[in-house]
Amino acid sequence: MKLNKFIRPVLALVTKPTAILLPIMLFFAGWWFALPPADHQHDHAAQADHSAAADPLWTCSMHPQIRQPNAGLCPICNMDLIPLTDSGQTSGLRELGISAEAAALLDIRVSPVVQAPADVSVKMFGKIDFDERSIVTTTARVAGRLDRLFADFTGTTVSRGDAIAEIYSPELVVAQHTLIRAFHDWKNARANDRAHRLSMLESAREKMRLLNLSEAQIKQIENQDEPTDHITLLAPQSGIIVDLMVKEGQYVKTGDPIFGIAQLDSVWLKMEAFESDLQWLRYAQNVTFTVDALPNKSFHGPIAFIDPQLDSQRRTVKVRVNVKNENFQLKPGMFATASVQTNVAADGRVLDADLAGKWISPMHPEIVKDEPGSCDICGMPLVRAEDYGFIAPDQPAENPLLIPASAVLRTGQRAVVYLRIADKPEPTFVGREIVLGPRAGDFFIVNHGLDLGELVVTHGAFKLDSELQIQAKPSMMNPNAGLDEQSANQAPSQLASQWSAVMRQYGKLISSADRDEGTFSSQLAAMADTINQLQTDQLTTDELALWEEFSMRLGNLLAELQKQPSRSSSIAQLRRQLEETRRFTGLSATAIMPAAADASWILPLQKSVSSYLTISQSLSQDQSPTSENTAALSQAVDQLPASPEKSAILAALGDFSQQSELAGQRATFKPLSESLVASIRKFAIDQLGELYLVHCPMADDNRGANWLSAQPIVENPYFGSGMFACGSVTDTLSTPAK
């Protein structure tokens, strides 16, 4: 009813002309009221954006190229996806930030860089053999026929003095006749002739000794009336017959070998060591081994020989160990499994408390004494154990830096590790190329690129590297990824102003290539120090990231070149790296060949520069230098050797000294600076501590002027407080001499 009362007036209006517009009016009214308020619409959009930003992307730990807006399964491997959120801006080219949840799901594990001995166990296999020094060969001292062999097969055990053969020899018969006659002549000689007959008898006896007859045999022959047909040959030492070179009834000539008899109280263990294991082995080092015949017993002995020649096909080196064979348990031909436990210091020397400070025989390593002397066996002078590479283990500074082998990603000659940046709240990691030493068990020795205590990623490093590859950043497989976008059109001014010192050092390196190894090595180290000392505090974030990348590469290369034998190859590699640095950073890569410093100029120039810097500081503080300052500079310049350069400095100093007003002093400060700079460049480059060249483009009526500074900072002497910081450091004239 109420509805009818409301509709009737409306229907009445339909008959009027305005009824035509009603449907149109109702449509627009409904559209208008359906729209949300303008501010509500803005809030809704912002809320949607916030929600989208808060919801992380989801990725796969095994296939990081997968990106999905929602959780689920990886379409490749069906593993659960993990959240991937951006933890913030990163500054390094190889830097990567992830959320704590993602780090946990990725199972990222880290381990600190430690400094400890490199504990290495070298495994080798070998065979027991005779000690060649204990093998005695019995030879025929006279020609004859071997009518009987008492030791008639190889392996026969004999004792010293045992009969081993009988020989018939006419020469022995004659010698027996001579001995028998001499003995009877001496025995029956008169008193005045007895001495002469005794000398004849001794001569006959000595001949029999030379024929290898024993004293008992000689005495027996002397007491005979007639010589015997056969002489028994006796074993010269105890042992076993290892070589039987004759047959019974065989005729032999003088000097023909008959038997080889070896003692077994000492044996040799002959092994082969891989080429990569040679760095862990030292002469006199103790070796422990076992044999299959005695599995529960261990034997040991010192390394007595490391073959200086490598088997080019097997890539192995022969190693020999001297072993005492108590109770003759070790038999030649037995196979042995050996191991050498080595604790290696940073420079490759072996930490061994038993040998450090001892004296070792150079021929018999089993002879070790506390004091110098001679070998008890061969009489040779003993050698200090340190000369063989042994040091005491109580020197922790000698220990190398070690990282777990699982932390290293290797490709070719490059090695990459990832480090956890400890001072950032969210998990942030950075990749770094390092120089590795040899592998020591489950660890690698680090030669360059890491510091003690840094946290390296030991599990999950490859996942981090994959993420950098996806982001087109430098990574293990592509070290130059994204650098074209990062590189600047020109070098940062702070780096460019210091780079000439690096290139001068490179010039010194080139000139030292034909000198001794120590000089070349010191120049490599000096170049590394020069690069490390460059100031970078004024670089932007992008510039610093780029420089850190290439300074890392240069430092690694210089560390590697220290151990490279070819100097020409070293210089070529360094030249290529400098060219790559120039290409990406804009720094010059042209070597500057510095002239040799003149010693007669260095000390006077040091005094001159010291006085000059005092004057420059006064001008920068809007103060005229005192007469004492000017006089000190004049006295220092007077000590310079006579030359056109000295004359130019004196002329400029004369003009400067005549000025009494600050404006005039500033106007004449430019030629004084230029003349002093010219002398430094010619006679004392890199010999005056730290010295920088600073340039102000607005000085000298906008023609520009330079001045010297002891620090890479701007304190303008031409304008003082008016434009105190106007200018920039443009060159490095001197760095501390190495």
Side-chain angles (χ1 to χ4, degrees), residues 436-667:
L436 289 178
R439 179 164 181 164
D442 294 331
F443 294 86
F444 272 109
I445 294 177
V446 180
N447 288 339
H448 184 266
L450 290 176
D451 294 322
L452 179 64
E454 289 188 297
L455 298 176
V456 295
V457 176
T458 58
H459 186 273
F462 189 78
K463 300 172 185 177
L464 298 175
D465 191 83
S466 298
E467 179 62 27
L468 286 183
Q469 293 183 44
I470 293 172
Q471 296 183 16
K473 291 184 177 182
S475 60
M476 175 183 67
M477 300 304 298
N478 192 356
N480 292 331
L483 290 182
D484 290 323
E485 293 78 9
Q486 294 285 343
S487 59
N489 294 327
Q490 60 182 7
S493 59
Q494 187 181 29
L495 281 181
S497 63
Q498 305 172 80
W499 192 245
S500 60
V502 177
M503 299 315 299
R504 285 198 301 272
Q505 189 59 52
Y506 176 55
K508 294 178 183 178
L509 179 66
I510 295 175
S511 62
S512 68
D514 57 349
R515 300 173 65 183
D516 60 274
E517 182 177 351
T519 301
F520 186 75
S521 179
S522 64
Q523 293 297 339
L524 282 171
M527 186 169 184
D529 290 341
T530 304
I531 293 173
N532 292 335
Q533 292 173 5
L534 296 183
Q535 302 292 324
T536 59
D537 56 301
Q538 298 178 16
L539 300 185
T540 65
T541 301
D542 292 340
E543 291 171 343
L544 182 60
L546 195 63
W547 170 243
E548 287 178 346
E549 175 71 21
F550 285 95
S551 62
M552 172 191 69
R553 298 186 187 186
L554 283 169
N556 288 344
L557 179 58
L558 291 170
E560 290 176 342
L561 297 184
Q562 286 284 1
K563 297 185 177 182
Q564 188 173 101
S566 173
R567 300 182 189 179
S568 59
S569 176
S570 298
I571 293 176
Q573 291 182 58
L574 186 55
R575 184 184 300 113
R576 288 193 294 269
Q577 185 60 60
L578 288 170
E579 174 58 28
E580 187 178 67
T581 303
R582 181 204 64 77
R583 183 162 58 92
F584 286 112
T585 63
L587 295 168
S588 171
T590 303
I592 303 172
M593 305 295 290
D598 191 328
S600 62
W601 279 78
I602 294 174
L603 184 59
L605 275 178
Q606 286 178 338
K607 296 178 180 179
S608 301
V609 169
S610 178
S611 299
Y612 168 91
L613 293 175
T614 303
I615 293 174
S616 177
Q617 185 178 19
S618 297
L619 295 177
S620 67
Q621 295 175 355
D622 299 327
Q623 298 176 2
S624 293
T626 64
S627 58
E628 290 80 3
N629 297 145
T630 307
L633 178 57
S634 179
Q635 292 175 1
V637 174
D638 286 338
Q639 298 176 17
L640 294 173
S643 62
E645 289 76 15
K646 176 182 179 179
S647 301
I649 298 175
L650 288 174
L653 181 59
D655 293 340
F656 180 85
S657 302
Q658 294 177 1
Q659 307 298 321
S660 57
E661 299 295 332
L662 184 60
Q665 292 168 341
R666 285 174 168 167

Side-chain angles (χ1 to χ4, degrees), residues 338-360:
S339 66
V340 178
Q341 293 296 133
T342 305
N343 288 332
V344 183
D347 55 0
R349 292 182 293 174
V350 175
L351 304 173
D352 193 320
D354 295 333
L355 290 177
K358 305 289 185 177
W359 294 78
I360 306 173

